[in-house]
Amino acid sequence: HLESILRLAQANARMELREQVIQQDVNNAIATCLESFIQTQKYQVAEELRKRFARFLVRADDDYELLHWLLMREYRAAVSMAMDMDQDPDGASVNRADFARIAGEYEMATDEYLASSLFKEVFFLSGEKIKKIIVE
């Protein structure tokens, strides 16, 4: 099973166009193997296993929430800077490359998050800028 996890982690890194495997790849591989095993069990056993190993199965959601928090923090900083410069805060945005760099400090990739419903509920992409949806 260890070799399977290694191959899945390598495949995940390749899908994200990286040469090296990072911790997130390994976590995704473990979650995939675990979920695959759980799905082969009878219902009651599967539910018990899901409860016992929940911390390994919700990793992607946790990453998205952390990325969302990081993006909100950067957006608030952009709004604050716009207000300090007497500019319209509704025009504030976060540079996509800057956000990717910040996420990289936490060894996380942003592409999947930017396609997620969590991102799309609050933000949208405008070229290389990330902007907040303003509802009036």
Side-chain angles (χ1 to χ4, degrees), residues 76-102:
R76 283 192 294 271
V79 167
S80 179
M81 188 182 329
M83 291 174 67
D84 289 346
M85 297 171 64
D86 292 328
Q87 296 176 350
D88 182 16
D90 290 346
S93 65
V94 176
N95 187 299
R96 185 176 180 171
D98 291 340
F99 178 57
R101 180 187 49 76
I102 292 165

Side-chain angles (χ1 to χ4, degrees), residues 23-90:
Q23 185 66 43
Q24 182 180 358
D25 299 323
V26 176
N27 291 340
N28 287 339
I30 291 170
T32 300
C33 287
L34 190 55
E35 183 60 35
S36 177
F37 173 73
I38 289 172
Q39 288 181 6
T40 65
Q41 305 302 306
K42 292 185 177 187
Y43 180 78
Q44 187 145 359
V45 174
E47 288 305 306
E48 183 62 34
L49 288 171
R50 274 198 182 86
K51 287 178 188 173
R52 179 177 280 172
F53 296 106
R55 69 177 180 264
F56 299 108
L57 297 173
V58 296
R59 176 79 180 149
D61 291 339
D62 291 344
D63 285 351
Y64 287 177
E65 288 181 22
L66 177 57
L67 287 169
H68 194 70
W69 181 83
L70 290 169
L71 182 54
M72 287 295 289
R73 183 183 71 180
E74 291 303 307
Y75 180 76
R76 283 192 294 271
V79 167
S80 179
M81 188 182 329
M83 291 174 67
D84 289 346
M85 297 171 64
D86 292 328
Q87 296 176 350
D88 182 16
D90 290 346

Side-chain angles (χ1 to χ4, degrees), residues 1-14:
H1 299 285
L2 189 56
E3 189 174 327
S4 298
I5 291 172
L6 178 62
R7 288 176 188 238
L8 283 169
Q10 290 172 333
N12 193 65
R14 280 190 221 112

